[in-house]
Amino acid sequence: MKNKIALLITAVCLCFLNFRFSEDYSEFGVTHEDVEEKFWSTLQNKSVYAPYLSSSAKAACRSISPDHQAAAVQKAGNLIKLYYGSQDFKKRYNNWLAKSFPQEEVEISEERKAEIRENKIRDIKSLNAKDMEPIVDIQIQAGESITGMESMLTSLPPDQRAEFKKQIEDSKRTVAFFKKVKPLLKSDFEAFKKQYAAFLAQDEIAQAEQQLIRSNKNNAEEFDQWKSPEKVLAARLTEFLEKSKGVDFAAKTKEVNNRKKFVDAAYEGQNDVWKFCYRIGPAPTNAARAFAQQWLTELKQAD
């Protein structure tokens, strides 16, 4: 039984799962929940990785006949496919998409705007004209330095022009505002504070709305990448096949500082999946690759 469990761990890992085996499921030694959760987490990862297995588990797998290893991979793969094709998986995936990449209302509510304005009025209540005068001058100077670069706009790459143009327009408004209110520092500081608070509030509101716009744009792009579980799965299968191809199971190793290293430096530079497949041997590796290739073919045919 111990050897069977170790074999199945390896088999399922080669199918991109890395779950713990228990005695709950008579044939596989796993629960349905284990399969579902680990397959789910595999799809969420943006890359295929090699799982950790103890040396005893690897040794136990090698001691089992190749025919049994290949059969275990096939059975584990079929269990995964069964969940992938279920309505539970489809519902879960669609719910995850909706929660992960929402499209939010980009206009700040009137209630929130009022709250921001009240906060700004409270924040500047203790300001005095003497302290504000150098701040106003700095704002004007900084804004003018940015607007002075407007001639550089045409020399920028097209994808950077819109953002830089917006910065210039914002700087122009900032300069115009502070030049307008600067005389109030001496003539009517209360009026200055009122207008300054309104300016800060409007700036925060505008930034919040711009952030929502950017967030919606990013979510839309992410949603487009993840909206098709078939394409996501196909990408994982393709990556596994690419990383696990051409494994030289006869490659020589040597001891270096109590660790096994490949004699061939090119092999030592291989990815972790390739090395993992080398360690567990040809039978489960070839079975997993055949299963992955067949599933990938089915996905492409159904597209």
Side-chain angles (χ1 to χ4, degrees):
M1 182 62 180
K2 181 178 179 181
N3 284 353
K4 181 180 180 182
I5 291 175
L7 167 63
L8 287 173
I9 292 176
T10 303
V12 177
C13 285
L14 283 172
C15 291
F16 323 124
L17 299 176
N18 183 19
F19 50 79
R20 292 181 299 103
F21 282 73
S22 66
E23 300 295 329
D24 299 335
Y25 195 68
S26 59
E27 183 176 3
F28 291 99
V30 298
T31 66
H32 283 292
E33 289 76 13
D34 285 331
V35 176
E36 294 172 3
E37 289 307 312
K38 291 304 179 179
F39 177 70
W40 178 260
S41 65
T42 295
L43 286 184
Q44 306 309 298
N45 291 327
K46 292 189 175 182
S47 183
V48 176
Y49 63 93
Y52 169 78
L53 286 179
S54 67
S55 57
S56 60
K58 295 172 188 174
C61 291
R62 295 191 187 100
S63 69
I64 301 174
S65 70
D67 289 342
H68 289 166
Q69 292 177 358
V73 171
Q74 184 68 37
K75 288 182 179 180
N78 288 336
L79 190 61
I80 297 164
K81 287 181 73 174
L82 183 65
Y83 172 58
Y84 174 77
S86 70
Q87 289 300 317
D88 285 344
F89 172 80
K90 294 175 182 177
K91 181 179 179 180
R92 183 178 184 181
Y93 197 88
N94 288 334
N95 288 340
W96 172 77
L97 283 175
K99 291 180 180 179
S100 299
F101 313 113
Q103 291 295 301
E104 305 286 354
E105 174 61 51
V106 297
E107 185 175 352
I108 303 298
S109 68
E110 291 302 321
E111 181 180 359
R112 177 56 183 153
K113 288 179 181 179
E115 182 182 352
I116 292 173
R117 294 186 185 106
E118 290 175 4
N119 289 340
K120 295 307 177 185
I121 292 173
R122 184 177 60 252
D123 291 344
I124 69 170
K125 186 176 293 186
S126 61
L127 294 179
N128 60 71
K130 183 179 179 180
D131 291 337
M132 281 303 303
E133 188 169 357
I135 294 176
V136 170
D137 289 338
I138 290 173
Q139 290 286 350
I140 293 173
Q141 292 169 11
E144 288 179 337
S145 68
I146 294 176
T147 58
M149 294 187 288
E150 189 170 11
S151 60
M152 298 171 53
L153 192 61
T154 56
S155 64
L156 292 174
D159 60 330
Q160 297 180 18
R161 289 177 192 170
E163 181 62 28
F164 189 58
K165 184 177 181 180
K166 184 180 182 306
Q167 292 180 20
I168 291 173
E169 295 302 321
D170 289 344
S171 296
K172 286 181 178 180
R173 283 191 291 271
T174 298
V175 170
F177 169 77
F178 281 105
K179 283 185 174 181
K180 182 187 75 171
V181 300
K182 184 176 180 179
L184 295 175
L185 287 170
K186 295 180 179 179
S187 63
D188 190 346
F189 189 58
E190 287 303 315
F192 172 87
K193 288 198 294 184
K194 183 178 180 180
Q195 293 187 46
Y196 184 46
F199 173 81
L200 293 177
Q202 187 56 43
D203 185 58
E204 182 173 330
I205 291 169
Q207 288 187 36
E209 291 178 342
Q210 285 300 313
Q211 178 57 44
L212 287 172
I213 292 173
R214 287 192 294 270
S215 179
N216 280 349
K217 182 176 181 294
N218 291 337
N219 282 346
E221 292 173 352
E222 285 286 308
F223 179 87
D224 191 58
Q225 294 178 19
W226 290 93
K227 64 183 179 182
S228 170
E230 293 81 10
K231 290 184 178 179
V232 174
L233 176 59
R236 301 295 177 274
L237 293 171
T238 299
E239 184 181 356
F240 169 72
L241 289 169
E242 180 63 27
K243 286 185 173 180
S244 63
K245 71 179 181 181
V247 178
D248 182 359
F249 296 103
K252 302 297 183 182
T253 61
K254 60 183 178 180
E255 290 285 338
V256 179
N257 296 326
N258 296 321
R259 295 187 63 184
K260 282 189 176 182
K261 299 284 187 179
F262 286 103
V263 173
D264 190 327
Y267 290 163
E268 192 58 39
Q270 282 285 0
N271 65 79
D272 62 338
V273 173
W274 192 96
K275 292 178 180 178
F276 179 80
C277 291
Y278 167 83
R279 293 186 180 98
I280 65 167
T285 296
N286 293 337
R289 283 181 54 80
F291 186 91
Q293 184 61 68
Q294 177 60 34
W295 200 357
L296 182 60
T297 299
E298 293 171 6
L299 290 171
K300 290 180 177 179
Q301 290 174 345
D303 189 5

